[in-house]
């Protein structure tokens, strides 16, 4: 089931949340587990087995690791830890990367292995990262073992962040899994957060996505530099509003349930360097790679050469995490190179020049990065890149002018909406009002967003799901 | 504040839950006239479909289709996109003067299919004893290009006409573009604003051209006694992008004794008169003319003329053929999409004097059924 659907909004959500509020506190985790399993099985009835096995294995591994540690048997603890990490990675690898590597082998010419062509269980990249973080934290002793199977299963399968993040590490919600307070304030603010996210996805991302889809399907003969850049900008907005919209919906629902999930996006398109961008974009994922790949590899503690290598590994894997295709690996390495250059000298230089130029610099490389990211969706990536660069392509054509003036209003709204500006304006305008009045003004916005989003969903407007590859 | 939060939360949950509940409680809608399609309904529980996920998909689709104010929400959605500045929605341009114009780009015209179709037609023409005339109705966007949004892409109609002239030779083609180029005249607009078809005045302009080509005498428009059959026609293009401000079209139809008394046989089903009044109460009011799409329609006109006409056509012919009732004793209309007998045989064996091939230009280019012409 996806959040941006009528069945979720008008059936699943009201039933689950009303039941949750009426249910006694001690049964809530069980209810949430049940709801999450139904949520997952709705779209992936077969793959529920994969998730349930993952829960069982990691629960057991956690218990064993902590038991051996208590009994001062570090070798056994380490063995269980390593085996469970390998199992987690192998599961993810099997479903996500087998065909990718079979094709690499086949391309070398020495092998002719038929591809297995299996669908990726939705959300596996997210919940596998959560199980790995749990086992690693238990092994490192930074978190206590979860002895209650229902609680553990609920943590892994929790529907708000199951399919598109954020990656909630166990330690971040450990206390709330055991005991969390519900308040009418958290419910109301959570609802507002959820609706904001829904609007980002349905009102912004889907419209930008439709624009991108049309332009990316353009035959090279009909393309122009202006059109190609318009497409790239549209995709830039689509991916941000889609992804951050999903995260907002997850965080909002988490808050409605009494959790405090970490924020996943912090106005990334306001960034003035690539380094800053990655502090603001998909924060939970970059943090995960930092904590569980970069730092264990030695981080910056073993000299600059080793540090560069560690960064390279972390970024190549970050790229690969986004999908089993070369363009994602290249996309990761692209950011590795940019980050390395910034680390070496560029950041110091950027601090001396006007902020606007820094912003343009950052946005240029961010947008170019998204073109690499989207290569798999473009009919002819090489021609598209030529069009962006103006090679054998006119600067503009009628089609570009048409698309520009019919979408400029949307693009400007999205540009403003991807910054802090709207929130600041709203705060300014309502600063003299009391708390209740301010709340109702926001509430009216959420009513409009909700009804508009439902209208767009019902009318069958373009509504893609971007996370089937993650 | 606590009370505020609670009231707000309850309102939101009502907005979410009530429509969901209504889907389950209200009787299921079978058909959407506005969208001209059958709606998805809640499926029966079926274990194997649940395991495959098909059941869940059907339920999800049904929740969209059975939403209690679905038509209103569709209008809201289009109006919202329009207010964002979008000029084409759902494959339709929101053109000037409240025209809806189907968006057909160069990439939507299959050059290969066009050449193939013309070759079929060329072969067909060669085999015939009868005089064959070909008329392509210009796409509305070709004629009303000044109504299209500025810089809006639209396919170049020259492609179709030039290719056709090359393959068929100019003798066999009647170019209607000039006759229809004013877009309207004292009789009225040539194209509907909410539908992709031409209007009666549009069809009449083509009738005049047809008469010039074939040597028939064109009768004045008013001699056909055109009357308003409906003033509440929301056509197929409106359905693709319903905006609240759209105004309905009028449908005019000629009222002559021949039109009312002709013997018409639709795929074997007999009827008197060429009009089907029941469609005027439905969404698809254009089907008033000859009841919509049939594979074969035979009209015994009751005219004193002694000529027989075969029309190979798409739906544009339905409002055009009424003008010819007086000029032929028998008219056969064949729509290749729904006709499954050998077309070449039919045309040869039934002794027609004239054969008219009448298609909207882009329809002809993309039709996948014209191989039937050589069978």
């Amino acid at each position: 089931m996806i959040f941006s659907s009528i069945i979720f909004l008008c059936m699943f959500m009201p039933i689950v949340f009303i039941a949750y509020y009426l249910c006694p506190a001690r049964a809530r985790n069980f209810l949430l587990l049940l709801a999450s399993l139904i949520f997952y099985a709705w779209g992936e009835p077969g793959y529920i087995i994969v998730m349930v096995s993952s829960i069982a294995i990691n629960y057991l591994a956690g218990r064993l690791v902590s038991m051996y540690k208590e009994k001062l048997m570090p070798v056994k603890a380490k063995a269980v830890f390593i085996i469970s990490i390998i199992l987690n990675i192998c599961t993810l690898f099997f479903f996500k990367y087998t065909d990718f590597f079979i094709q690499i082998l086949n391309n070398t010419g020495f092998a002719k292995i038929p591809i297995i062509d299996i669908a990726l269980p939705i959300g596996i990249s997210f919940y596998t990262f959560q199980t790995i973080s749990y086992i690693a934290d238990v092994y490192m002793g930074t978190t206590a073992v979860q002895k209650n199977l229902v609680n553990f299963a609920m943590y892994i399968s929790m529907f708000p962040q199951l399919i598109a993040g954020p990656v909630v590490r166990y330690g971040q919600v450990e206390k709330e899994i055991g005991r969390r307070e519900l308040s009418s304030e958290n419910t109301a603010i959570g609802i507002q957060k959820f609706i904001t996210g829904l609007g980002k996805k349905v009102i912004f991302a889907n419209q930008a996505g439709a624009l991108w889809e049309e332009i990316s399907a353009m035959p090279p003969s009909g393309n122009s530099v202006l059109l190609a850049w318009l497409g790239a900008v549209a995709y830039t907005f689509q991916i941000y509003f889609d992804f951050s919209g999903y995260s907002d919906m997850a965080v909002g629902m988490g808050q409605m349930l009494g959790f405090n999930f970490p924020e996943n996006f912090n106005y990334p398109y306001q960034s003035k360097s690539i380094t800053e961008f990655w502090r603001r974009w998909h924060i939970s994922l970059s943090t995960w790679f930092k904590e569980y790949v970069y730092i264990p590899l030695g981080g910056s503690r073993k000299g600059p050469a080793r540090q560069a290598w560690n960064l390279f590994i972390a970024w190549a894997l970050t790229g690969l995490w986004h999908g089993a295709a070369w363009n994602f690996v290249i996309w990761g390495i692209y950011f590795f190179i940019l980050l390395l250059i910034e680390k070496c000298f560029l950041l110091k230089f950027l601090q001396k020049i006007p902020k606007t130029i820094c912003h343009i610099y950052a946005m240029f490389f961010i947008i170019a990065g998204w073109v690499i990211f989207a290569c798999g969706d473009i009919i002819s990536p090489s021609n598209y890149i030529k069009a962006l660069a103006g090679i054998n392509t006119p600067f503009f054509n009628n089609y570009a002018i048409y698309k520009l003036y019919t979408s400029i209003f949307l693009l400007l709204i999205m540009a403003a909406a991807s910054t802090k500006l709207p929130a600041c304006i709203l705060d300014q305008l309502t600063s003299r009002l009391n708390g209740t009045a301010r709340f109702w003004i926001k509430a009216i916005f959420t009513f409009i967003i909700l009804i508009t989003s439902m209208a767009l969903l019902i009318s069958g407007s373009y509504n893609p799901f971007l996370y089937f590859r993650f | 504040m606590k009370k505020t939060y609670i009231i707000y939360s309850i309102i939101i949950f009502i907005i979410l839950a009530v429509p969901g509940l209504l889907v389950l409680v209200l009787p299921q809608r079978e058909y959407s006239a506005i969208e001209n399609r059958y709606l998805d309904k809640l499926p029966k529980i079926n274990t194997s479909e649940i395991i495959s996920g098909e059941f869940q998909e059907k339920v999800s689709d049904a929740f969209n289709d059975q939403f209690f104010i679905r038509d209103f929400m569709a209008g809201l959605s289009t109006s919202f996109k329009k207010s964002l500045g979008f000029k084409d929605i759902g494959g339709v341009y929101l053109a000037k003067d409240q025209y809806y114009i189907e968006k057909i780009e160069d990439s939507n015209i299959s050059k290969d299919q066009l050449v193939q179709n013309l070759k079929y037609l060329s072969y067909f023409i060669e085999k015939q004893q009868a005089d064959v005339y070909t008329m392509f109705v210009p796409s509305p966007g070709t004629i009303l290009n000044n109504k299209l949004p500025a810089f809006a892409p639209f396919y170049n109609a020259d492609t179709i006409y030039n290719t056709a002239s090359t393959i068929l030779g100019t003798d066999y083609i009647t170019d209607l573009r000039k006759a229809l180029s004013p877009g309207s005249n004292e009789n009225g607009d040539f194209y509907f604003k909410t539908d992709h078809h031409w209007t009666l005045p549009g069809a009449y302009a083509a009738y005049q051209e047809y008469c010039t080509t074939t040597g028939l005498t064109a009768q004045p428009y008013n001699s056909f006694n055109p009357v308003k059959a409906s003033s509440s026609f929301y056509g197929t293009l409106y359905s693709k992008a319903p905006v609240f401000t759209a105004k309905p079209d009028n449908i005019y139809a000629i009222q002559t004794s021949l039109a009312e008394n002709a013997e018409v046989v639709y795929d074997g089903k007999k009827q008197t008169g060429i009009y089907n009044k029941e469609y005027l109460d439905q969404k698809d009011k254009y089907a008033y003319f000859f009841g919509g799409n049939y594979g074969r329609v035979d009209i015994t006109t009751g005219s004193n003329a002694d000529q027989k006409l075969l029309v190979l056509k798409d739906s544009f012919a339905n409002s055009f053929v009424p003008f010819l009732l007086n000029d032929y004793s028998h008219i056969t209309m064949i729509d290749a999409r729904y006709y499954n007998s050998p077309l070449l045989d039919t045309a040869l064996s039934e002794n027609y004097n004239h054969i008219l091939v009448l298609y909207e230009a882009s329809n002809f280019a993309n039709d996948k059924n014209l191989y039937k012409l050589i069978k």
Side-chain angles (χ1 to χ4, degrees), chain B residues 137-150:
Chain B
V137 182
S139 306
T142 305
I143 297 302
L144 304 172
N145 57 356
N146 60 341
K147 304 258 189 259
L148 288 175

Side-chain angles (χ1 to χ4, degrees), chain A residues 148-207:
Chain A
N148 184 321
L149 179 60
V150 169
N151 288 0
F152 180 73
M154 189 276 289
Y155 158 69
I156 297 299
S157 66
M158 203 171 6
F159 71 85
Q161 34 71 283
L162 180 60
I163 52 174
V167 183
V168 181
R169 283 171 301 142
Y170 181 75
Q172 289 171 315
V173 287
E174 186 186 359
K175 282 194 191 121
E176 289 160 357
I177 289 171
R179 182 185 158 74
R180 55 190 178 274
E181 300 293 332
L182 293 180
S183 75
S184 57
E185 180 174 4
N186 275 338
T187 300
I189 305 293
I191 289 173
Q192 295 196 334
K193 184 100 187 162
F194 174 81
I195 293 175
T196 311
L198 181 70
K200 278 181 168 181
K201 159 69 183 156
V202 179
I203 298 177
F204 287 153
N206 287 354
Q207 310 316 317

Side-chain angles (χ1 to χ4, degrees), chain B residues 28 43 86 89 139 150 159 173 203 217 240 260 330 338 361:
Chain B
Q28 306 267 298
F86 290 5
I89 296 166
S139 306
T159 319
I173 305 263
T217 314
K240 289 180 183 174
E260 267 156 35
H330 189 101
Y338 310 103

Side-chain angles (χ1 to χ4, degrees), chain A residues 158-404:
Chain A
M158 203 171 6
F159 71 85
Q161 34 71 283
L162 180 60
I163 52 174
V167 183
V168 181
R169 283 171 301 142
Y170 181 75
Q172 289 171 315
V173 287
E174 186 186 359
K175 282 194 191 121
E176 289 160 357
I177 289 171
R179 182 185 158 74
R180 55 190 178 274
E181 300 293 332
L182 293 180
S183 75
S184 57
E185 180 174 4
N186 275 338
T187 300
I189 305 293
I191 289 173
Q192 295 196 334
K193 184 100 187 162
F194 174 81
I195 293 175
T196 311
L198 181 70
K200 278 181 168 181
K201 159 69 183 156
V202 179
I203 298 177
F204 287 153
N206 287 354
Q207 310 316 317
L211 182 61
W212 161 245
E213 191 179 76
E214 203 180 327
I215 295 175
S216 63
M218 200 71 202
S221 59
N223 218 335
S224 65
V225 178
L226 183 62
L227 191 65
W229 278 99
L230 191 64
V233 169
Y235 185 70
T236 299
F237 284 128
Q238 180 193 7
I239 193 136
Y240 167 66
F241 284 112
D242 205 296
F243 213 163
S244 74
Y246 258 95
S247 281
D248 285 353
M249 288 189 268
V251 174
M253 284 192 288
Q255 200 171 353
M256 292 166 71
L257 298 170
F259 287 98
N260 282 297
F261 292 160
E263 286 290 340
N264 214 9
F265 292 85
N266 180 22
Y267 304 108
Y269 293 163
Q270 280 185 325
S271 304
K272 290 169 191 69
S273 68
I274 299 300
T275 309
E276 187 185 352
F277 172 71
W278 276 106
R279 277 202 296 265
R280 292 169 173 269
W281 179 274
H282 205 346
I283 300 163
S284 66
L285 184 75
S286 9
T287 314
W288 193 96
F289 272 100
K290 192 177 155 202
E291 304 261 328
Y292 299 102
V293 178
Y294 177 72
I295 291 177
L297 284 173
S300 59
R301 286 165 290 145
K302 295 180 180 172
R306 185 59 198 263
Q307 188 190 359
W309 173 251
N310 293 340
L311 271 176
F312 175 81
I313 295 294
W315 283 99
L317 289 177
T318 304
L320 197 59
W321 181 88
H322 286 84
W326 278 112
N327 65 305
F328 294 114
V329 180
I330 295 168
W331 177 77
I333 296 171
Y334 166 88
F335 279 113
F336 157 72
I337 294 168
L338 286 170
L339 290 166
L340 199 64
I341 295 170
E342 286 193 354
K343 241 186 182 51
C344 289
F345 64 89
L346 196 61
L347 272 186
K348 281 179 194 145
F349 174 72
L350 287 172
Q351 278 162 3
K352 289 174 199 155
I353 60 174
K355 283 180 175 173
T356 320
I357 296 175
C358 298
H359 189 223
I360 292 170
Y361 147 80
M363 278 318 294
F364 174 83
F365 284 101
I366 291 166
I367 295 171
W370 290 130
V371 174
I372 303 172
F373 192 87
C375 269
D377 304 326
I378 305 174
I379 287 183
S380 163
S382 60
N383 281 318
Y384 200 86
I385 290 165
K386 277 184 196 160
L388 287 170
I391 300 166
N392 299 330
T393 314
F395 181 68
F396 67 91
N397 54 5
N398 281 354
Y399 197 80
I401 298 172
Y402 172 73
K403 277 290 147 199
L404 181 64

Side-chain angles (χ1 to χ4, degrees), chain A residues 214 402 405 446 458-459 461, chain B residues 8 70 77 81 88 103 150 153:
Chain A
E214 203 180 327
Y402 172 73
Y405 87 84
T446 61
I458 290 161
S459 67
S461 300
Chain B
Y8 171 75
R70 178 175 171 78
S77 163
K81 289 182 186 171
D88 63 289
K103 183 184 178 195

